[in-house]
Amino acid sequence: MTKVAVVGTVGIPACYGGFESLVENLTKYSSNNIQYDIFCSSKSYPKKLSHYNGARLTYVPLSANGVQSIFYDVISLIKCIFKKPDVTLILGVSGCLFLPIYRLLSSSKVVTNIDGLEWKRDKWSKWAKKFLKFSESMAVKYSDVIITDNKAIGDYVDTEYAKDNVVIAYGGDHAIIEHAKVEPEKDYYLSLCRIEPENNVEMILQAFVESEHKLKFIGNWNSSEFGRELKNRFSGKPNIDIVDPIYDLDQLFKLRSECRGYVHGHSAGGTNPSLVEAMHFGKPIFAFDCNFNRYSTEDKALYFSSPNELSETLTCTTNDDLATISQNMKLIAEKRYTWKVINQMYETTYV
């Protein structure tokens, strides 16, 4: 039995983001010879299960996000010294400044997914960016295996650190609900993301104002001044429906299966979970033009880099082209972005 401790997520059952969905599905599809121990934030779980999907759950009384995430990860790693796992899977780099000490005190194999290039995100201050870049360098230097979720990030690690890495993306097939009733397609496009500047939210909204196509945009609009300002400015537009966060997979399945296409604005990070989930629905994908998104979609989606470009693409792309793109997205998703495939790739790094 290989004991694997997982550090760096809010925890499971998944209630937050991409890493949490990853861990939920790693435990769901786990081989019989893997025993997971997942560190969870007690702040996020009023009801504290001892086990889930066969994994043991260990709680840390801090938030897994923001500044507290550093201490949350470090405390988790300190607990790992005493738990003595065979493998420590670290998701994100917040606590990796502790890795040099951890390697001195633990014989565990360290596998780290460095996430996207977190230090480049606009939301961080200059000093936060410097800290995250330092943590990233510690992760790369002191890990046995580096996982990147997109080849563009893998190429960055090669260039910046001359370090081998393994590219493993995310699954998206959990978004498909088998045997669910699918209604006919409706006249709207869908976008879904955290409302942050690097997700080009304003660009997408402005494009739809100019095109007059209908858009449903789901996000955490009330979590920041940036989101509230955009919500106030665009919620009165007759063709734009500003929707508060939806986490229920049944509701999301209905919205994704009935939309005309999916608009993806992410410009930072790597392979984005909401993108690979959308690809499983076989809809045309309109993605912001960056190397991350081109790699994820194998250069077979539609791309934009300005409101005018997106507006024109929405209006001018022929039905035949849209049908071809839809088919390609589904084929790529079924080949590369299923949890069985992703789980097998993760488990090979534990050996």
Side-chain angles (χ1 to χ4, degrees):
M1 184 70 72
T2 300
K3 294 188 294 181
V4 181
V6 181
V7 172
T9 77
V10 172
I12 54 174
C15 64
Y16 184 69
F19 273 154
E20 288 71 30
S21 294
L22 168 65
V23 176
E24 176 140 345
N25 284 284
L26 289 180
T27 56
K28 180 179 179 180
Y29 292 100
S30 171
S31 299
N32 292 330
N33 64 330
I34 305 289
Q35 177 61 56
Y36 281 104
D37 189 344
I38 315 298
F39 285 91
C40 306
S41 171
S42 59
K43 303 276 188 183
S44 298
Y45 293 97
K47 182 180 179 182
K48 295 171 180 59
L49 304 175
S50 62
H51 290 78
Y52 183 77
N53 279 355
R56 185 184 191 181
L57 307 184
T58 298
Y59 294 90
V60 175
L62 291 171
S63 171
N65 297 300
V67 174
Q68 283 193 26
S69 67
I70 301 165
F71 305 100
Y72 175 82
D73 287 3
V74 170
I75 290 171
S76 299
L77 288 169
I78 291 170
K79 287 178 178 285
C80 284
I81 293 169
F82 299 99
K83 285 177 175 284
K84 297 182 174 13
D86 300 301
V87 178
T88 306
L89 174 61
I90 303 174
L91 301 175
V93 302
S94 293
C96 287
L97 78 168
F98 186 72
L99 266 186
I101 298 171
Y102 184 68
R103 296 310 303 263
L104 284 174
L105 301 174
S106 172
S107 60
S108 176
K109 181 177 186 178
V110 176
V111 178
T112 304
N113 183 325
I114 65 169
D115 201 6
L117 306 182
E118 189 69 18
W119 59 273
K120 283 192 171 184
R121 294 186 187 275
D122 294 336
K123 65 181 179 180
W124 300 119
S125 68
K126 180 178 77 169
W127 293 109
K129 288 180 178 181
K130 285 180 180 294
F131 170 78
L132 289 167
K133 182 67 167 70
F134 172 74
S135 293
E136 177 189 275
S137 68
M138 291 294 99
V140 173
K141 183 174 181 179
Y142 288 99
S143 297
D144 296 296
V145 179
I146 292 295
I147 294 175
T148 55
D149 65 27
N150 188 289
K151 188 176 182 299
I153 296 177
D155 292 343
Y156 160 80
V157 172
D158 286 338
T159 303
E160 184 79 0
Y161 300 106
K163 180 88 176 242
D164 290 339
N165 58 90
V166 182
V167 178
I168 309 177
Y170 300 101
D173 49 320
H174 63 281
I176 300 293
I177 298 175
E178 298 294 337
H179 311 301
K181 183 181 179 182
V182 179
E183 299 291 341
E185 186 174 283
K186 295 182 179 175
D187 185 24
Y188 68 87
Y189 292 86
L190 183 69
S191 197
L192 165 66
C193 70
R194 291 182 195 158
I195 307 305
E196 297 175 350
E198 62 263 27
N199 292 340
N200 290 297
V201 178
E202 185 174 9
M203 182 185 296
I204 293 169
L205 291 167
Q206 190 59 48
F208 275 84
V209 169
E210 294 172 7
S211 74
E212 296 184 354
H213 289 284
K214 293 179 182 177
L215 173 70
K216 290 183 185 291
F217 204 135
I218 304 170
N220 57 335
W221 302 96
N222 296 319
S223 296
S224 67
E225 182 57 37
F226 173 73
R228 289 188 290 271
E229 191 276 325
L230 289 178
K231 182 177 182 178
N232 289 336
R233 190 172 5 138
F234 289 96
S235 58
K237 305 299 181 184
N239 63 321
I240 293 176
D241 188 7
I242 300 291
V243 184
D244 288 332
I246 296 173
Y247 301 106
D248 182 81
L249 282 178
D250 290 329
Q251 284 183 267
L252 288 172
F253 174 83
K254 180 176 173 62
L255 288 166
R256 284 163 165 161
S257 60
E258 293 178 6
C259 73
R260 293 185 63 184
Y262 180 73
V263 185
H264 184 72
H266 292 64
S267 62
T271 298
N272 186 264
S274 64
L275 174 59
V276 299
E277 289 167 9
M279 290 169 68
H280 277 275
F281 286 82
K283 301 286 183 175
I285 302 291
F286 301 78
F288 182 77
D289 195 354
C290 64
N291 54 0
F292 304 118
N293 293 335
R294 282 188 176 273
Y295 173 76
S296 297
T297 56
E298 297 185 0
D299 274 324
K300 292 179 180 175
L302 293 159
Y303 305 97
F304 63 92
S305 55
S306 69
N308 287 343
E309 200 170 356
L310 175 55
S311 177
E312 186 175 332
T313 303
L314 287 164
T315 302
C316 298
T317 308
T318 67
N319 288 334
D320 285 346
D321 285 342
L322 291 173
T324 300
I325 292 162
S326 301
Q327 183 180 29
N328 285 336
M329 294 302 98
K330 189 167 181 61
L331 289 172
I332 294 166
E334 290 175 346
K335 178 180 69 177
R336 292 174 55 184
Y337 304 128
T338 67
W339 283 116
K340 285 184 179 179
V341 169
I342 301 306
N343 178 64
Q344 288 169 0
M345 294 176 76
Y346 264 88
E347 290 190 1
T348 60
T349 69
Y350 304 159
V351 179

